[in-house]
Amino acid sequence: MAKQILKFIPVVVLLAIIPFLLPGGRLGTYYLTLTILSVSYAIACLGLTVVLGYSGQVSLAQAAFYGLGSYTLAILTVKHHWPFWPSALLGIIIPTLFGLFLGAISLRLTTHYLALVTIGFQVIISLVLNNWGTVTGGADGISNIPRPSIGPLAFTNDRAYYWLMLVFLCLAVYVVHRLRHSRLGNALLALREDEIAASAAGINLFWAKVLAFSVSAALGGLGGVLYAAGAMYISPNIYIFDQSVLFFSMTLVGGQESIIGTMLGAGLLTFLPEWLRFLKDYYIAVYGLLVIIVVLFLPEGLWGLVQRGVRAALRLMKKPRPTQTAAVVETLMSRPASVKRPVATDQVLLEVKDLHKHFGGIKAVNGVSFTVRKGDVAVLIGPNGSGKTTVLNVLSGIYEPTAGEVWFNGQNISGLKPHVINRLGIARTFQNIRLFPELTALENVIVGHYPKGRVGLAGTLLSSPRGYLEERIARERAEETLHLLGFTRIHEKAKNLPYGQQRIVEIARAMVCQPQLLLLDEPAAGMNTEETKELSHLVYRLHELGFTILLIEHDMSFVSQVATQAYVMDFGSKIAEGSVEEVLHNPAVIKAYLGDDAEYDYA
Amino acid sequence: MQVIQLLVTGLAVGSIYALVALGFVLVYTAVNVVNFAQGDFSMVAAFFMVSLVVTAHLPYALGFVISVILAGIAGYLFQLGIYQPVKNRPRNFLPVMIATVGGSIFLQHLFLILYGPVPLQLPSVFKQQTVDLGGVHVYPQYLLIIVVTAVMVALLNWFFERTKLGKQMQATAQDPTTARLMGINTARMNALTFAMSTALGGLAGILVAPVYMVTTTMGSLIGLKAFAASIVGGFSSVKGAIIGGLAIGIIETFGGTYISGAYRDAFAFIVLVLFLIFRPYGLFGEKVSQKV
Amino acid sequence: MTMLKVDHIESRYGEVVGLHDISLEVNEGEIVALLGVNGAGKSTTLKTISGLLHPTKGTIEYLGERIDRLAPEAIVRKGIVHVPEGRRIFPGLTVRENLLMGTSNRKTTRAEVERGIERVLEIFPDLKRLINQLGWSLSGGQQQMLAIGRGLMANPKILMLDEPSLGLAPVIVKQVFQTIREINEQGVTVLLVEQNASMSLRIAHRAYLLETGRVVRSDTAANLLADDAVRTTLLTAHGRG
């Protein structure tokens, strides 16, 4: 972890010597002012890196947080004669509180709803700054904002103040970087990639959103505080919706997911108008086009483009390393079969009572009851469209049942949220594989370990040893789990893995927390004969390890190899139960599958 | 008397929001994206109208029709250049949203270059300032806005409920794959949806231009409030968009008069936040679970 | 006369191969069944014929003309109508409007539409009382009838039905199969994809048995029905999608 942060040192050094590189005279002073401006922008944009780049939530209110920071500082120092540093601290706290509020109401909101709420917030804040004259100075704004000092050190001249800002920029970079590489950061990425899968992996979506918004607001506030003290004069026309759009564009153009990219974008779009001055009025239209072009052609931003170029160059220079041959390790797959499979106990782990789930006029599940004992490999089979997946979705909390109850370990879990059910010990995989596509295989499984962690934001940012320990444990557990499943390409992005391998990673993500019950939704779907055989072997071994499993599967040879108990569904109801052998000879089941119906007259 | 005056004003302002909100809803139900440049097409059409009627001296009605059609064509080109290239991205909400935000910036500044920063004036078709309706003085333009909107809504209702093309557009919105299997050219339906939505926005812009000034930014606030109105209405129904738009217009007008004129522009968003907290699916919205 | 000729096609979903090598023919007036367990490639075959997928290898001919590069809306205009799996009723349209959508493959007069609707209501009298109800409020069986009816509105030369018995109660399944036979007797050629092998074999003339994206057997329905080996395959074979 520490090593990764070293890569920022050249950037910091470069930024620190900028004042010496500028031309002298008035032009130099002007450029230094712009540089100060762009650093405050960069800090605000780093907030967007968290909320937009990491958690994938749209916020078009960053200028409002920036403004809240500026005005808090200005009002307290100028009108109430507070000292600088306590005012600055409040200048961060107040926007953070508003960020908490926005995050909290965004619980039920996604995509455009959320975007609009942030816009609404932005518009309201601009109106207040403009109209609440007695406090904010109205359209005239507030002037004579003091510059800070620390003991004998006064940061009154621009150069000194610029270096002080750099210290805060480093702090912001540290916060964002540390967050990204922590357990919480992984949760934010998971939220961005797939909310349903994140929730099923035990992540509380509500807190993840609140976290993203409040960190983002805090950084926006910090940027605003530094801007106000830098410019020494503020007025409401800086903190308008257009400025939020500008922050948004800076983050996108540079590279929404990259810290360096974001800083690059902030600097670039601050200086671009100067460079494009010869275009006069055309400048902003060019800037609009630039945003469109970046979005259409460079989804990773300019920095992403640079990185791709660098990587390609490195590849040309370096000879390709020979691909690693799979090490001979004892994985679950290669271990010799044990003689005895664990026998199911009498303890009932899961009990489904008269479950119903209706969608409009369709009764997808219509009164299903069954139990899974500890140590079972239970299978739910039935023709296509018989409601099996719906049952699984209700069990894992993705759907609320229309009627009926689900009991797990003696507790009624019907209607609980997916992350709560996960934490109680039920983990699942999905029929159409829901990995986090942009994360590596290892990171996917680390996200699965999220519920075991305890360290929150403060611990993460203060680099508490416990936080590092948890991260190491999660990493080790994830590596072990993947290893156990015989999976080697752990640093490959999930989206680049072949289908069969993705399935293995998804199972690893579900089992890394040692759930008491593993739900597998058609694990063999989309696999070839060889992969299916391996998979049935794998499920068998999981059972040996002591996992209780409930699975849906169509492949009867798969089912008969692994299952100890079978339930058959047809048109939303259970039609048979027993061992796999028994149910496959049950006339009702044969009829459901083959439609045998001798007495029907076809004449 | 003032109450009736305000009610007329509120309904007129609300009609404008309703027209733009209808555009949002049409596009959203059809392709599940929000066009953040929707409001800017009001501005686009208003400028066209100024060029055609003030500069080129075309008859008012003819200029009106041509401007609305041009706004529709602009919408068609907009979806071609901005929506089509990003629509197949995974999780396309964010790329589409950003592209349309970029499109909005671009449109505003393109028109800044074309028409300059000085606000232009579009005269009303009526000569007299006010009409007297049994003691109540109202702007005739407001009455025109209300009447044209009502006619437009009736027309749209007829189109979607009574014509095969309207039903095909609905079918495309509900299940594009099956629509294709039925022989419906879904790409054409989507392009038509965009064109209709921007034409509606353009209509709103031309109607409201004589009341406000014609500026490059006139569309953005109308767009945002109309967006709020469509969410208040539930974001998926024509009825919701209209009632949401009218409600926001009336609340804003009364709030601006009796509570605070300075915060007139805030009411739409305050109503929106209250709705999102207490009735997150709007007046007529339905809660739809995501299919796994 | 051979209407539809599918010649050694391969189809993919992204990198996953759905069909490896499928060849089949459908003659005028026939009911041809495609059987196989879940994931054998039955639905993928229909999707490739109707143009939702384009084959990566091989050709598809309809009345001697290549159609494997055409868009779905062009193929349905030729009279090859695909009633998709899961019924896919337009939920926000009424039954009548759903039926109207079935005529989207050609220009129609009002009278023609009314005649078509009447014909569908003759075949599915249950739909008569539901005519102004919205699609989502229908039960599974009613939706299936509507889906087939909507397909008939297109005046199909070949009607391709994907799992019409899916998720339906047995008594409804019987009705559906009986109707398929009636429709066939009225002169519509049918290509039927089914999990419900017995029922299909009883109404079909010929059938193809699919396994992992390949045709493993083709024969007359009567021969397949008499063969116990077929039953075993369908009940216990490997399935993958």
Side-chain angles (χ1 to χ4, degrees), chain A residues 109 222 228 236 284 301 335 341 353 397 492 500 514 532:
Chain A
L109 307 177
L222 175 62
I284 303 186
R335 200 192 291 171
R341 296 180 85 183
K353 295 179 184 169
E492 194 116 13
Q514 302 284 327
T532 307

Side-chain angles (χ1 to χ4, degrees), chain A residues 162-181:
Chain A
Y162 169 68
W163 282 320
L164 177 71
M165 283 179 90
L166 280 190
V167 173
F168 282 101
L169 180 66
C170 291
L171 187 73
V173 167
Y174 170 77
V175 165
V176 175
H177 182 265
R178 181 71 199 103
L179 185 65
R180 164 66 183 84
H181 293 92

